[in-house]
Amino acid sequence: MIGVMENSKIEQVEVERFKSLFLRGIAFIFWFPGIILMELPLNKLLMTIVAVISSVFGILFIYAAIKVFRVFRKIKGDQVLQQALMNEMYLSFDYKALVAGFYSTLFCVILLFLLSTFVDMPVRVVCLTIIYVSVVVTELRKFFLYRQ
């Protein structure tokens, strides 16, 4: 009976981790472009709309990040959860996601370098775009790996 309760607790925490990681990824995907667009010269109405939408998703991102932090603290605090949810399989998922993020960063740098020969782009927009692409690819890869 104890094993059944542990299994249901493990599944519950795994679902909670998956949902919080998904929420964090979605919030970042919609929050960070607002920061990038704020660097471009847009009209006041469009800037206001972008700022409001970005602020809402920024707050949602902070909430999701706190939720992810709490879930991982819960996992690290319980030996059974740690053995089940922080094992080699999940560590390999994290490493694979980081590798995908690294290669996407390299590809993005090369692409933006080639694009900069034809288009004059602000340095902050280029840097923020590189950060955005690397984080989004890492989060999406982690999401798809955890979903398996």
Side-chain angles (χ1 to χ4, degrees):
M1 192 64 158
I2 293 175
V4 174
M5 287 181 57
E6 286 178 355
N7 285 341
S8 66
K9 182 179 179 184
I10 290 169
E11 290 174 9
Q12 180 184 15
V13 173
E14 186 175 24
V15 168
E16 185 180 356
R17 176 175 64 178
F18 179 77
K19 286 181 179 179
S20 59
L21 287 172
F22 180 74
L23 180 63
R24 183 182 71 180
I26 294 297
F28 184 85
I29 286 171
F30 289 107
W31 164 59
F32 209 76
I35 294 173
I36 296 171
L37 289 175
M38 296 296 253
E39 297 296 325
L40 300 175
L42 304 172
N43 65 23
K44 295 267 188 203
L45 177 63
L46 192 56
M47 290 290 277
T48 305
I49 293 170
V50 167
V52 168
I53 293 171
S54 182
S55 298
V56 168
F57 281 103
I59 292 168
L60 186 62
F61 176 76
I62 291 170
Y63 167 75
I66 291 170
K67 194 171 178 181
V68 168
F69 176 73
R70 287 184 178 169
V71 169
F72 277 99
R73 193 166 66 179
K74 184 190 302 183
I75 292 171
K76 289 195 182 223
D78 188 350
Q79 189 66 26
V80 174
L81 289 175
Q82 190 172 6
Q83 288 177 351
L85 298 176
M86 295 295 281
N87 58 23
E88 291 178 13
M89 181 180 75
Y90 288 106
L91 290 176
S92 73
F93 288 170
D94 292 343
Y95 291 140
K96 287 177 183 179
L98 289 173
V99 167
F102 174 74
Y103 284 117
S104 69
T105 302
L106 288 178
F107 179 74
C108 185
V109 167
I110 292 169
L111 185 68
L112 289 172
F113 178 74
L114 293 174
L115 186 64
S116 70
T117 59
F118 304 109
V119 179
D120 188 29
M121 296 181 295
V123 174
R124 289 179 61 124
V125 171
V126 170
C127 293
L128 290 172
T129 303
I130 292 169
I131 292 170
Y132 179 74
V133 167
S134 63
V135 171
V136 167
V137 169
T138 303
E139 289 289 327
L140 287 175
R141 179 74 171 144
K142 187 182 292 187
F143 168 71
F144 287 120
L145 287 170
Y146 274 38
R147 201 177 93 190
Q148 289 181 357

PDB file of all heavy atoms in Angstrom, residues 45-78:
ATOM      1  N   LEU A  45       0.911  54.088 -29.534  1.00  0.00           N
ATOM      2  CA  LEU A  45      -0.188  53.147 -29.300  1.00  0.00           C
ATOM      3  C   LEU A  45       0.312  51.704 -29.343  1.00  0.00           C
ATOM      4  O   LEU A  45      -0.010  50.906 -28.461  1.00  0.00           O
ATOM      5  CB  LEU A  45      -1.292  53.350 -30.338  1.00  0.00           C
ATOM      6  CG  LEU A  45      -2.471  52.382 -30.246  1.00  0.00           C
ATOM      7  CD1 LEU A  45      -3.194  52.548 -28.914  1.00  0.00           C
ATOM      8  CD2 LEU A  45      -3.410  52.579 -31.414  1.00  0.00           C
ATOM      9  N   LEU A  46       1.108  51.402 -30.342  1.00  0.00           N
ATOM     10  CA  LEU A  46       1.652  50.051 -30.460  1.00  0.00           C
ATOM     11  C   LEU A  46       2.584  49.723 -29.299  1.00  0.00           C
ATOM     12  O   LEU A  46       2.561  48.612 -28.769  1.00  0.00           O
ATOM     13  CB  LEU A  46       2.379  49.901 -31.799  1.00  0.00           C
ATOM     14  CG  LEU A  46       2.767  48.499 -32.223  1.00  0.00           C
ATOM     15  CD1 LEU A  46       1.547  47.589 -32.247  1.00  0.00           C
ATOM     16  CD2 LEU A  46       3.434  48.521 -33.570  1.00  0.00           C
ATOM     17  N   MET A  47       3.380  50.687 -28.873  1.00  0.00           N
ATOM     18  CA  MET A  47       4.283  50.484 -27.729  1.00  0.00           C
ATOM     19  C   MET A  47       3.486  50.226 -26.454  1.00  0.00           C
ATOM     20  O   MET A  47       3.878  49.398 -25.629  1.00  0.00           O
ATOM     21  CB  MET A  47       5.191  51.701 -27.537  1.00  0.00           C
ATOM     22  CG  MET A  47       6.224  51.850 -28.611  1.00  0.00           C
ATOM     23  SD  MET A  47       7.484  50.601 -28.518  1.00  0.00           S
ATOM     24  CE  MET A  47       8.535  51.318 -27.310  1.00  0.00           C
ATOM     25  N   THR A  48       2.366  50.915 -26.288  1.00  0.00           N
ATOM     26  CA  THR A  48       1.533  50.719 -25.110  1.00  0.00           C
ATOM     27  C   THR A  48       0.918  49.320 -25.109  1.00  0.00           C
ATOM     28  O   THR A  48       0.908  48.638 -24.080  1.00  0.00           O
ATOM     29  CB  THR A  48       0.420  51.786 -25.060  1.00  0.00           C
ATOM     30  OG1 THR A  48       1.013  53.082 -25.111  1.00  0.00           O
ATOM     31  CG2 THR A  48      -0.412  51.655 -23.812  1.00  0.00           C
ATOM     32  N   ILE A  49       0.418  48.895 -26.245  1.00  0.00           N
ATOM     33  CA  ILE A  49      -0.171  47.554 -26.349  1.00  0.00           C
ATOM     34  C   ILE A  49       0.883  46.491 -26.071  1.00  0.00           C
ATOM     35  O   ILE A  49       0.643  45.546 -25.313  1.00  0.00           O
ATOM     36  CB  ILE A  49      -0.816  47.363 -27.742  1.00  0.00           C
ATOM     37  CG1 ILE A  49      -2.031  48.282 -27.890  1.00  0.00           C
ATOM     38  CG2 ILE A  49      -1.207  45.911 -27.973  1.00  0.00           C
ATOM     39  CD1 ILE A  49      -2.576  48.352 -29.298  1.00  0.00           C
ATOM     40  N   VAL A  50       2.053  46.658 -26.661  1.00  0.00           N
ATOM     41  CA  VAL A  50       3.146  45.703 -26.441  1.00  0.00           C
ATOM     42  C   VAL A  50       3.548  45.691 -24.972  1.00  0.00           C
ATOM     43  O   VAL A  50       3.780  44.625 -24.387  1.00  0.00           O
ATOM     44  CB  VAL A  50       4.347  46.038 -27.354  1.00  0.00           C
ATOM     45  CG1 VAL A  50       5.592  45.280 -26.922  1.00  0.00           C
ATOM     46  CG2 VAL A  50       4.017  45.736 -28.803  1.00  0.00           C
ATOM     47  N   ALA A  51       3.623  46.858 -24.353  1.00  0.00           N
ATOM     48  CA  ALA A  51       4.027  46.941 -22.948  1.00  0.00           C
ATOM     49  C   ALA A  51       3.016  46.256 -22.029  1.00  0.00           C
ATOM     50  O   ALA A  51       3.402  45.557 -21.086  1.00  0.00           O
ATOM     51  CB  ALA A  51       4.197  48.400 -22.543  1.00  0.00           C
ATOM     52  N   VAL A  52       1.731  46.429 -22.302  1.00  0.00           N
ATOM     53  CA  VAL A  52       0.696  45.799 -21.467  1.00  0.00           C
ATOM     54  C   VAL A  52       0.742  44.283 -21.610  1.00  0.00           C
ATOM     55  O   VAL A  52       0.738  43.549 -20.608  1.00  0.00           O
ATOM     56  CB  VAL A  52      -0.701  46.352 -21.826  1.00  0.00           C
ATOM     57  CG1 VAL A  52      -1.799  45.528 -21.192  1.00  0.00           C
ATOM     58  CG2 VAL A  52      -0.816  47.804 -21.409  1.00  0.00           C
ATOM     59  N   ILE A  53       0.785  43.801 -22.837  1.00  0.00           N
ATOM     60  CA  ILE A  53       0.826  42.354 -23.068  1.00  0.00           C
ATOM     61  C   ILE A  53       2.100  41.755 -22.471  1.00  0.00           C
ATOM     62  O   ILE A  53       2.066  40.716 -21.808  1.00  0.00           O
ATOM     63  CB  ILE A  53       0.703  42.040 -24.570  1.00  0.00           C
ATOM     64  CG1 ILE A  53      -0.686  42.419 -25.062  1.00  0.00           C
ATOM     65  CG2 ILE A  53       0.990  40.576 -24.855  1.00  0.00           C
ATOM     66  CD1 ILE A  53      -0.859  42.351 -26.556  1.00  0.00           C
ATOM     67  N   SER A  54       3.215  42.423 -22.685  1.00  0.00           N
ATOM     68  CA  SER A  54       4.485  41.942 -22.144  1.00  0.00           C
ATOM     69  C   SER A  54       4.479  41.940 -20.621  1.00  0.00           C
ATOM     70  O   SER A  54       5.003  41.018 -20.000  1.00  0.00           O
ATOM     71  CB  SER A  54       5.627  42.807 -22.671  1.00  0.00           C
ATOM     72  OG  SER A  54       6.860  42.342 -22.201  1.00  0.00           O
ATOM     73  N   SER A  55       3.870  42.935 -20.018  1.00  0.00           N
ATOM     74  CA  SER A  55       3.795  42.995 -18.553  1.00  0.00           C
ATOM     75  C   SER A  55       2.959  41.845 -17.993  1.00  0.00           C
ATOM     76  O   SER A  55       3.337  41.237 -16.986  1.00  0.00           O
ATOM     77  CB  SER A  55       3.205  44.330 -18.102  1.00  0.00           C
ATOM     78  OG  SER A  55       4.016  45.391 -18.501  1.00  0.00           O
ATOM     79  N   VAL A  56       1.845  41.559 -18.632  1.00  0.00           N
ATOM     80  CA  VAL A  56       0.989  40.461 -18.165  1.00  0.00           C
ATOM     81  C   VAL A  56       1.747  39.135 -18.235  1.00  0.00           C
ATOM     82  O   VAL A  56       1.761  38.357 -17.270  1.00  0.00           O
ATOM     83  CB  VAL A  56      -0.314  40.395 -19.001  1.00  0.00           C
ATOM     84  CG1 VAL A  56      -1.068  39.108 -18.735  1.00  0.00           C
ATOM     85  CG2 VAL A  56      -1.186  41.602 -18.710  1.00  0.00           C
ATOM     86  N   PHE A  57       2.390  38.882 -19.359  1.00  0.00           N
ATOM     87  CA  PHE A  57       3.136  37.630 -19.482  1.00  0.00           C
ATOM     88  C   PHE A  57       4.403  37.636 -18.633  1.00  0.00           C
ATOM     89  O   PHE A  57       4.874  36.575 -18.221  1.00  0.00           O
ATOM     90  CB  PHE A  57       3.452  37.324 -20.943  1.00  0.00           C
ATOM     91  CG  PHE A  57       2.280  36.752 -21.679  1.00  0.00           C
ATOM     92  CD1 PHE A  57       1.540  37.526 -22.549  1.00  0.00           C
ATOM     93  CD2 PHE A  57       1.899  35.437 -21.474  1.00  0.00           C
ATOM     94  CE1 PHE A  57       0.454  37.002 -23.224  1.00  0.00           C
ATOM     95  CE2 PHE A  57       0.814  34.896 -22.142  1.00  0.00           C
ATOM     96  CZ  PHE A  57       0.089  35.681 -23.012  1.00  0.00           C
ATOM     97  N   GLY A  58       4.972  38.812 -18.360  1.00  0.00           N
ATOM     98  CA  GLY A  58       6.109  38.895 -17.448  1.00  0.00           C
ATOM     99  C   GLY A  58       5.723  38.494 -16.035  1.00  0.00           C
ATOM    100  O   GLY A  58       6.453  37.759 -15.357  1.00  0.00           O
ATOM    101  N   ILE A  59       4.563  38.946 -15.589  1.00  0.00           N
ATOM    102  CA  ILE A  59       4.062  38.542 -14.271  1.00  0.00           C
ATOM    103  C   ILE A  59       3.770  37.047 -14.253  1.00  0.00           C
ATOM    104  O   ILE A  59       4.089  36.350 -13.281  1.00  0.00           O
ATOM    105  CB  ILE A  59       2.817  39.370 -13.898  1.00  0.00           C
ATOM    106  CG1 ILE A  59       3.215  40.833 -13.673  1.00  0.00           C
ATOM    107  CG2 ILE A  59       2.117  38.798 -12.674  1.00  0.00           C
ATOM    108  CD1 ILE A  59       2.051  41.787 -13.579  1.00  0.00           C
ATOM    109  N   LEU A  60       3.180  36.540 -15.329  1.00  0.00           N
ATOM    110  CA  LEU A  60       2.922  35.107 -15.433  1.00  0.00           C
ATOM    111  C   LEU A  60       4.228  34.305 -15.429  1.00  0.00           C
ATOM    112  O   LEU A  60       4.316  33.238 -14.805  1.00  0.00           O
ATOM    113  CB  LEU A  60       2.123  34.809 -16.699  1.00  0.00           C
ATOM    114  CG  LEU A  60       1.639  33.386 -16.900  1.00  0.00           C
ATOM    115  CD1 LEU A  60       0.679  32.987 -15.778  1.00  0.00           C
ATOM    116  CD2 LEU A  60       0.960  33.254 -18.249  1.00  0.00           C
ATOM    117  N   PHE A  61       5.265  34.836 -16.077  1.00  0.00           N
ATOM    118  CA  PHE A  61       6.569  34.172 -16.083  1.00  0.00           C
ATOM    119  C   PHE A  61       7.165  34.123 -14.681  1.00  0.00           C
ATOM    120  O   PHE A  61       7.719  33.096 -14.272  1.00  0.00           O
ATOM    121  CB  PHE A  61       7.518  34.888 -17.044  1.00  0.00           C
ATOM    122  CG  PHE A  61       8.913  34.328 -17.033  1.00  0.00           C
ATOM    123  CD1 PHE A  61       9.187  33.129 -17.667  1.00  0.00           C
ATOM    124  CD2 PHE A  61       9.937  34.989 -16.389  1.00  0.00           C
ATOM    125  CE1 PHE A  61      10.463  32.601 -17.659  1.00  0.00           C
ATOM    126  CE2 PHE A  61      11.216  34.470 -16.370  1.00  0.00           C
ATOM    127  CZ  PHE A  61      11.483  33.274 -17.008  1.00  0.00           C
ATOM    128  N   ILE A  62       7.066  35.208 -13.939  1.00  0.00           N
ATOM    129  CA  ILE A  62       7.585  35.225 -12.562  1.00  0.00           C
ATOM    130  C   ILE A  62       6.829  34.217 -11.707  1.00  0.00           C
ATOM    131  O   ILE A  62       7.436  33.467 -10.931  1.00  0.00           O
ATOM    132  CB  ILE A  62       7.489  36.650 -11.979  1.00  0.00           C
ATOM    133  CG1 ILE A  62       8.481  37.567 -12.693  1.00  0.00           C
ATOM    134  CG2 ILE A  62       7.751  36.646 -10.475  1.00  0.00           C
ATOM    135  CD1 ILE A  62       8.318  39.036 -12.373  1.00  0.00           C
ATOM    136  N   TYR A  63       5.511  34.166 -11.857  1.00  0.00           N
ATOM    137  CA  TYR A  63       4.707  33.192 -11.119  1.00  0.00           C
ATOM    138  C   TYR A  63       5.132  31.768 -11.469  1.00  0.00           C
ATOM    139  O   TYR A  63       5.312  30.917 -10.579  1.00  0.00           O
ATOM    140  CB  TYR A  63       3.219  33.399 -11.429  1.00  0.00           C
ATOM    141  CG  TYR A  63       2.335  32.269 -10.971  1.00  0.00           C
ATOM    142  CD1 TYR A  63       2.025  32.107  -9.627  1.00  0.00           C
ATOM    143  CD2 TYR A  63       1.823  31.355 -11.888  1.00  0.00           C
ATOM    144  CE1 TYR A  63       1.219  31.056  -9.206  1.00  0.00           C
ATOM    145  CE2 TYR A  63       1.020  30.308 -11.476  1.00  0.00           C
ATOM    146  CZ  TYR A  63       0.715  30.168 -10.141  1.00  0.00           C
ATOM    147  OH  TYR A  63      -0.065  29.126  -9.729  1.00  0.00           O
ATOM    148  N   ALA A  64       5.318  31.492 -12.760  1.00  0.00           N
ATOM    149  CA  ALA A  64       5.702  30.148 -13.193  1.00  0.00           C
ATOM    150  C   ALA A  64       7.106  29.794 -12.712  1.00  0.00           C
ATOM    151  O   ALA A  64       7.362  28.650 -12.327  1.00  0.00           O
ATOM    152  CB  ALA A  64       5.620  30.048 -14.711  1.00  0.00           C
ATOM    153  N   ALA A  65       8.009  30.766 -12.713  1.00  0.00           N
ATOM    154  CA  ALA A  65       9.371  30.498 -12.237  1.00  0.00           C
ATOM    155  C   ALA A  65       9.368  30.154 -10.750  1.00  0.00           C
ATOM    156  O   ALA A  65      10.086  29.244 -10.312  1.00  0.00           O
ATOM    157  CB  ALA A  65      10.263  31.707 -12.509  1.00  0.00           C
ATOM    158  N   ILE A  66       8.556  30.853  -9.972  1.00  0.00           N
ATOM    159  CA  ILE A  66       8.437  30.537  -8.546  1.00  0.00           C
ATOM    160  C   ILE A  66       7.833  29.155  -8.359  1.00  0.00           C
ATOM    161  O   ILE A  66       8.271  28.377  -7.507  1.00  0.00           O
ATOM    162  CB  ILE A  66       7.612  31.622  -7.829  1.00  0.00           C
ATOM    163  CG1 ILE A  66       8.392  32.938  -7.794  1.00  0.00           C
ATOM    164  CG2 ILE A  66       7.226  31.188  -6.416  1.00  0.00           C
ATOM    165  CD1 ILE A  66       7.598  34.129  -7.335  1.00  0.00           C
ATOM    166  N   LYS A  67       6.837  28.837  -9.174  1.00  0.00           N
ATOM    167  CA  LYS A  67       6.202  27.520  -9.095  1.00  0.00           C
ATOM    168  C   LYS A  67       7.195  26.405  -9.440  1.00  0.00           C
ATOM    169  O   LYS A  67       7.241  25.371  -8.769  1.00  0.00           O
ATOM    170  CB  LYS A  67       4.997  27.490 -10.037  1.00  0.00           C
ATOM    171  CG  LYS A  67       4.068  26.348  -9.818  1.00  0.00           C
ATOM    172  CD  LYS A  67       2.814  26.534 -10.657  1.00  0.00           C
ATOM    173  CE  LYS A  67       1.907  25.344 -10.446  1.00  0.00           C
ATOM    174  NZ  LYS A  67       0.695  25.425 -11.224  1.00  0.00           N
ATOM    175  N   VAL A  68       8.007  26.602 -10.477  1.00  0.00           N
ATOM    176  CA  VAL A  68       9.029  25.623 -10.848  1.00  0.00           C
ATOM    177  C   VAL A  68      10.042  25.467  -9.722  1.00  0.00           C
ATOM    178  O   VAL A  68      10.431  24.346  -9.371  1.00  0.00           O
ATOM    179  CB  VAL A  68       9.734  26.038 -12.163  1.00  0.00           C
ATOM    180  CG1 VAL A  68      10.989  25.215 -12.406  1.00  0.00           C
ATOM    181  CG2 VAL A  68       8.798  25.906 -13.335  1.00  0.00           C
ATOM    182  N   PHE A  69      10.446  26.576  -9.127  1.00  0.00           N
ATOM    183  CA  PHE A  69      11.394  26.538  -8.018  1.00  0.00           C
ATOM    184  C   PHE A  69      10.832  25.722  -6.852  1.00  0.00           C
ATOM    185  O   PHE A  69      11.537  24.894  -6.261  1.00  0.00           O
ATOM    186  CB  PHE A  69      11.726  27.963  -7.566  1.00  0.00           C
ATOM    187  CG  PHE A  69      12.612  28.026  -6.362  1.00  0.00           C
ATOM    188  CD1 PHE A  69      13.954  27.718  -6.453  1.00  0.00           C
ATOM    189  CD2 PHE A  69      12.084  28.381  -5.135  1.00  0.00           C
ATOM    190  CE1 PHE A  69      14.771  27.768  -5.328  1.00  0.00           C
ATOM    191  CE2 PHE A  69      12.879  28.430  -4.007  1.00  0.00           C
ATOM    192  CZ  PHE A  69      14.233  28.129  -4.099  1.00  0.00           C
ATOM    193  N   ARG A  70       9.571  25.937  -6.531  1.00  0.00           N
ATOM    194  CA  ARG A  70       8.951  25.196  -5.428  1.00  0.00           C
ATOM    195  C   ARG A  70       8.847  23.704  -5.731  1.00  0.00           C
ATOM    196  O   ARG A  70       9.049  22.865  -4.852  1.00  0.00           O
ATOM    197  CB  ARG A  70       7.574  25.761  -5.115  1.00  0.00           C
ATOM    198  CG  ARG A  70       7.631  27.087  -4.418  1.00  0.00           C
ATOM    199  CD  ARG A  70       6.266  27.564  -4.041  1.00  0.00           C
ATOM    200  NE  ARG A  70       6.362  28.822  -3.316  1.00  0.00           N
ATOM    201  CZ  ARG A  70       5.358  29.581  -3.037  1.00  0.00           C
ATOM    202  NH1 ARG A  70       4.133  29.229  -3.417  1.00  0.00           N
ATOM    203  NH2 ARG A  70       5.520  30.707  -2.385  1.00  0.00           N
ATOM    204  N   VAL A  71       8.507  23.367  -6.960  1.00  0.00           N
ATOM    205  CA  VAL A  71       8.404  21.950  -7.327  1.00  0.00           C
ATOM    206  C   VAL A  71       9.772  21.274  -7.224  1.00  0.00           C
ATOM    207  O   VAL A  71       9.890  20.181  -6.659  1.00  0.00           O
ATOM    208  CB  VAL A  71       7.815  21.787  -8.748  1.00  0.00           C
ATOM    209  CG1 VAL A  71       7.955  20.364  -9.241  1.00  0.00           C
ATOM    210  CG2 VAL A  71       6.363  22.207  -8.773  1.00  0.00           C
ATOM    211  N   PHE A  72      10.808  21.929  -7.739  1.00  0.00           N
ATOM    212  CA  PHE A  72      12.139  21.330  -7.672  1.00  0.00           C
ATOM    213  C   PHE A  72      12.649  21.263  -6.236  1.00  0.00           C
ATOM    214  O   PHE A  72      13.377  20.335  -5.880  1.00  0.00           O
ATOM    215  CB  PHE A  72      13.118  22.073  -8.577  1.00  0.00           C
ATOM    216  CG  PHE A  72      13.027  21.622 -10.006  1.00  0.00           C
ATOM    217  CD1 PHE A  72      12.303  22.343 -10.936  1.00  0.00           C
ATOM    218  CD2 PHE A  72      13.654  20.454 -10.416  1.00  0.00           C
ATOM    219  CE1 PHE A  72      12.210  21.918 -12.243  1.00  0.00           C
ATOM    220  CE2 PHE A  72      13.570  20.019 -11.722  1.00  0.00           C
ATOM    221  CZ  PHE A  72      12.844  20.753 -12.639  1.00  0.00           C
ATOM    222  N   ARG A  73      12.280  22.218  -5.413  1.00  0.00           N
ATOM    223  CA  ARG A  73      12.655  22.146  -3.998  1.00  0.00           C
ATOM    224  C   ARG A  73      11.934  20.985  -3.320  1.00  0.00           C
ATOM    225  O   ARG A  73      12.516  20.297  -2.474  1.00  0.00           O
ATOM    226  CB  ARG A  73      12.342  23.467  -3.300  1.00  0.00           C
ATOM    227  CG  ARG A  73      12.979  23.570  -1.927  1.00  0.00           C
ATOM    228  CD  ARG A  73      12.955  24.954  -1.414  1.00  0.00           C
ATOM    229  NE  ARG A  73      11.576  25.375  -1.177  1.00  0.00           N
ATOM    230  CZ  ARG A  73      11.234  26.546  -0.707  1.00  0.00           C
ATOM    231  NH1 ARG A  73      12.156  27.438  -0.433  1.00  0.00           N
ATOM    232  NH2 ARG A  73       9.975  26.854  -0.520  1.00  0.00           N
ATOM    233  N   LYS A  74      10.680  20.759  -3.699  1.00  0.00           N
ATOM    234  CA  LYS A  74       9.928  19.626  -3.161  1.00  0.00           C
ATOM    235  C   LYS A  74      10.579  18.308  -3.574  1.00  0.00           C
ATOM    236  O   LYS A  74      10.690  17.374  -2.776  1.00  0.00           O
ATOM    237  CB  LYS A  74       8.480  19.669  -3.660  1.00  0.00           C
ATOM    238  CG  LYS A  74       7.590  18.586  -3.077  1.00  0.00           C
ATOM    239  CD  LYS A  74       6.233  18.500  -3.762  1.00  0.00           C
ATOM    240  CE  LYS A  74       5.453  19.779  -3.711  1.00  0.00           C
ATOM    241  NZ  LYS A  74       4.098  19.650  -4.312  1.00  0.00           N
ATOM    242  N   ILE A  75      11.024  18.233  -4.820  1.00  0.00           N
ATOM    243  CA  ILE A  75      11.669  17.014  -5.308  1.00  0.00           C
ATOM    244  C   ILE A  75      12.994  16.776  -4.580  1.00  0.00           C
ATOM    245  O   ILE A  75      13.279  15.658  -4.156  1.00  0.00           O
ATOM    246  CB  ILE A  75      11.885  17.085  -6.838  1.00  0.00           C
ATOM    247  CG1 ILE A  75      10.543  17.034  -7.561  1.00  0.00           C
ATOM    248  CG2 ILE A  75      12.792  15.961  -7.319  1.00  0.00           C
ATOM    249  CD1 ILE A  75      10.633  17.322  -9.041  1.00  0.00           C
ATOM    250  N   LYS A  76      13.778  17.822  -4.431  1.00  0.00           N
ATOM    251  CA  LYS A  76      15.077  17.656  -3.774  1.00  0.00           C
ATOM    252  C   LYS A  76      14.946  17.373  -2.282  1.00  0.00           C
ATOM    253  O   LYS A  76      15.847  16.784  -1.690  1.00  0.00           O
ATOM    254  CB  LYS A  76      15.937  18.889  -3.993  1.00  0.00           C
ATOM    255  CG  LYS A  76      16.407  18.997  -5.408  1.00  0.00           C
ATOM    256  CD  LYS A  76      17.527  19.973  -5.556  1.00  0.00           C
ATOM    257  CE  LYS A  76      17.884  20.029  -7.019  1.00  0.00           C
ATOM    258  NZ  LYS A  76      19.256  20.026  -7.288  1.00  0.00           N
ATOM    259  N   GLY A  77      13.834  17.753  -1.680  1.00  0.00           N
ATOM    260  CA  GLY A  77      13.634  17.529  -0.253  1.00  0.00           C
ATOM    261  C   GLY A  77      13.174  16.127   0.099  1.00  0.00           C
ATOM    262  O   GLY A  77      13.271  15.712   1.252  1.00  0.00           O
ATOM    263  N   ASP A  78      12.682  15.382  -0.862  1.00  0.00           N
ATOM    264  CA  ASP A  78      12.165  14.037  -0.612  1.00  0.00           C
ATOM    265  C   ASP A  78      13.039  13.031  -1.361  1.00  0.00           C
ATOM    266  O   ASP A  78      13.197  13.113  -2.578  1.00  0.00           O
ATOM    267  CB  ASP A  78      10.715  13.947  -1.095  1.00  0.00           C
ATOM    268  CG  ASP A  78      10.026  12.654  -0.705  1.00  0.00           C
ATOM    269  OD1 ASP A  78      10.707  11.725  -0.209  1.00  0.00           O
ATOM    270  OD2 ASP A  78       8.799  12.570  -0.901  1.00  0.00           O
TER     271      ASP A  78
END
